[in-house]
C-alpha cells in the first residue's frame, strides 16, 4: 500500500485546486447578503444568543462581558470592535463593518458582530 | 529495534519542529496582513506531510495530536485545542485518503492544498459548534482561497525536503 506521491506538480492537482475554488465560490454565493436599502442593524451575539440589535445610524457603545470583554462601537454608519481584552484581538483587526452580511467574530469570547438588514425576512419572502 | 529508536527520535524532532514553526507563525501572524480569523501559513504542515509520506499515517496522526495538544498548552487555551485538533485531524485524514486513493495521479501539491482547505473547514466547523451559529462559514470562501495559496507554498517546500531525503529515488 506504499503509494508514492509525485514531487512535481501534476495535471490532476488542478482538479483539487478547482474543487477548492468551486467550494469557495459555492459558499460565497450561498452566504451572499441580500440586497437591502432599509435600515441596517448591528446584531451582537454570544454563543448563538442574540444580545443586542443596534441601528447603525445611531452612535452607540455596547460592552460584551464573558471570558473576556469586547467593546462594540457604532459610529458613522459602521459597527466595529473598538477594543477587546482577548489575547489576539482579531476582532479589532477585522475593522469597520458597514454592509449587510459583514461579520466580525471574537472566537475566544464566542462573540459575533453581524450587520443585518432590518427587513431581511420580508425581503427573503418577497425576493 | 534500531529502526524503532530512529523512528521515535524522528517523531520527537518533528514534534519539536512543528512547535517551533507554530511559534514563528504565532510571532508573525498572517492576520496582521490579512485580517481574517484562522488565516495562517500552516508551516507545520510541511513536517506533517513529510512524516505522512515517509513513515505512514500512524506516526503522522500521532505527531499531529501531540503538536495540537502541546501548542495549546504553550500558547493557547482549551478552545484553541478544540479548533486545532479538528482542523489538524481533518486535514491529516484528507491528505492520507488522497494519498492512498490517488497516490499515483496526484502530487504533493494537490494533497497539500486539500489538507490546507480541509484544515480551514475543520476549524470553522469547530467554531460554528462552539458559537452555536453557522454564520462563521461566511469566512470559508476567503479562507479556502488563502488555503489554496498557502497549501501550494508549503507543498513547494515539502517537495524540496522530500527530494533531499531521497523519497523520489528508492
Amino acid at each position: 500500500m506504499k503509494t508514492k506521491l509525485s514531487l512535481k506538480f501534476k495535471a490532476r492537482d488542478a482538479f483539487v485546486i478547482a474543487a477548492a475554488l468551486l467550494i469557495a465560490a459555492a459558499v460565497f454565493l450561498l452566504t451572499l447578503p441580500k440586497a437591502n436599502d432599509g435600515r441596517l442593524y448591528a446584531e451582537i451575539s454570544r454563543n448563538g444568543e442574540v444580545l443586542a440589535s443596534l441601528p447603525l445610524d445611531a452612535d452607540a457603545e455596547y460592552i460584551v462581558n464573558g471570558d473576556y470583554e469586547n467593546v462594540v462601537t457604532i459610529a458613522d454608519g459602521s459597527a466595529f470592535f473598538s477594543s477587546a481584552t482577548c489575547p489576539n484581538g482579531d476582532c479589532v483587526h477585522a475593522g469597520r463593518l458597514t454592509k449587510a452580511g459583514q461579520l466580525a467574530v471574537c472566537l475566544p469570547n464566542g462573540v459575533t458582530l453581524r450587520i443585518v438588514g432590518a427587513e431581511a425576512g420580508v425581503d427573503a419572502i418577497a425576493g | 529495534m534500531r529502526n524503532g529508536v530512529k523512528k521515535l527520535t524522528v517523531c520527537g524532532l518533528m514534534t519539536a519542529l512543528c512547535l517551533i514553526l507554530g511559534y514563528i507563525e504565532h510571532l508573525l501572524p498572517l492576520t496582521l496582513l490579512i485580517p481574517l480569523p484562522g488565516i495562517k501559513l500552516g508551516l507545520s504542515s510541511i513536517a506533517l506531510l513529510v512524516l505522512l509520506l515517509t513513515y505512514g499515517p500512524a506516526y503522522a496522526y500521532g505527531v499531529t495530536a501531540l503538536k495540537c495538544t502541546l501548542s495549546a498548552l504553550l500558547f493557547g487555551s482549551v478552545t484553541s485545542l478544540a479548533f486545532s485538533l479538528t482542523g489538524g485531524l481533518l486535514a491529516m485524514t484528507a491528505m492520507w485518503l488522497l494519498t492512498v486513493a490517488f497516490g499515483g495521479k496526484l502530487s504533493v501539491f494537490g494533497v497539500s492544498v486539500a489538507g490546507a482547505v480541509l484544515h480551514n473547514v475543520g476549524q470553522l466547523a469547530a467554531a460554528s459548534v462552539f458559537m452555536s451559529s453557522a454564520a462563521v462559514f461566511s469566512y470559508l470562501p476567503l479562507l479556502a482561497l488563502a488555503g489554496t495559496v498557502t497549501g501550494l507554498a508549503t507543498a513547494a517546500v515539502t517537495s524540496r525536503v522530500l527530494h533531499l531525503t531521497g523519497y523520489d529515488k528508492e
Side-chain angles (χ1 to χ4, degrees), chain A residues 28-75:
Chain A
F28 177 72
L29 291 178
L30 283 175
T31 55
L32 206 61
K34 307 240 181 328
N36 193 309
D37 356 282
R39 260 178 126 192
L40 294 177
Y41 287 78
E43 187 185 86
I44 304 161
S45 326
R46 181 161 188 268
N47 298 332
E49 182 196 345
V50 178
L51 300 174
S53 189
L54 308 167
L56 277 197
D57 49 18
D59 290 3
E61 203 169 80
Y62 187 89
I63 295 170
V64 188
N65 292 304
D67 301 337
Y68 300 98
E69 187 185 277
N70 306 84
V71 181
V72 177
T73 301
I74 298 180

Side-chain angles (χ1 to χ4, degrees), chain B residues 20-45:
Chain B
I20 286 295
L21 292 173
Y23 184 60
I24 292 171
E25 283 190 44
H26 187 76
L27 287 180
L28 301 164
L30 207 50
T31 39
L32 288 183
L33 291 176
I34 310 162
L36 204 60
I39 195 168
K40 56 179 180 174
L41 276 169
L43 291 175
S44 62
S45 74

Side-chain angles (χ1 to χ4, degrees), chain B residues 94-117:
Chain B
M95 297 198 291
W96 174 44
L97 292 180
L98 277 182
T99 308
V100 173
F102 304 108
K105 297 182 178 115
L106 289 176
S107 77
V108 286
F109 288 90
V111 170
S112 175
V113 166
V117 173

Side-chain angles (χ1 to χ4, degrees), chain B residues 59-137:
Chain B
Y59 291 94
Y61 273 104
V63 172
T64 304
L66 272 176
K67 176 236 158 188
C68 292
T69 313
L70 288 173
S71 68
L73 280 175
L74 288 169
F75 325 115
S77 60
V78 181
T79 0
S80 69
L81 173 65
F83 289 0
S84 69
L85 265 184
T86 350
L89 294 179
L90 194 63
M92 184 50 76
T93 306
M95 297 198 291
W96 174 44
L97 292 180
L98 277 182
T99 308
V100 173
F102 304 108
K105 297 182 178 115
L106 289 176
S107 77
V108 286
F109 288 90
V111 170
S112 175
V113 166
V117 173
L118 266 291
H119 191 274
N120 289 330
V121 171
Q123 286 195 309
L124 288 178
S128 65
V129 168
F130 179 70
M131 307 181 66
S132 351
S133 153
V136 284
F137 271 96

Side-chain angles (χ1 to χ4, degrees), chain A residues 2-10 12-13 16-17 20-21 24 27-28 47-48 93 103-105 107 110-112, chain B residues 35 53-54 83 99 103-111 130-132 135 137-139 141 145 148 159 162-163 167-168:
Chain A
K2 214 148 181 160
T3 25
K4 287 228 170 175
L5 279 181
S6 161
L7 296 187
K8 298 218 167 66
F9 193 88
K10 285 191 140 190
R12 308 250 175 145
D13 288 329
V16 178
I17 295 171
L21 298 182
V27 174
F28 177 72
N47 298 332
H93 294 145
L103 174 76
V105 297
L107 288 178
V111 176
T112 53
Chain B
L53 295 178
T54 51
F83 289 0
T99 308
K105 297 182 178 115
L106 289 176
S107 77
V108 286
F109 288 90
V111 170
F130 179 70
M131 307 181 66
S132 351
F137 271 96
S138 61
Y139 282 130
L145 273 183
T148 307
S159 163
L162 283 170
H163 177 69
Y167 172 80
D168 46 353

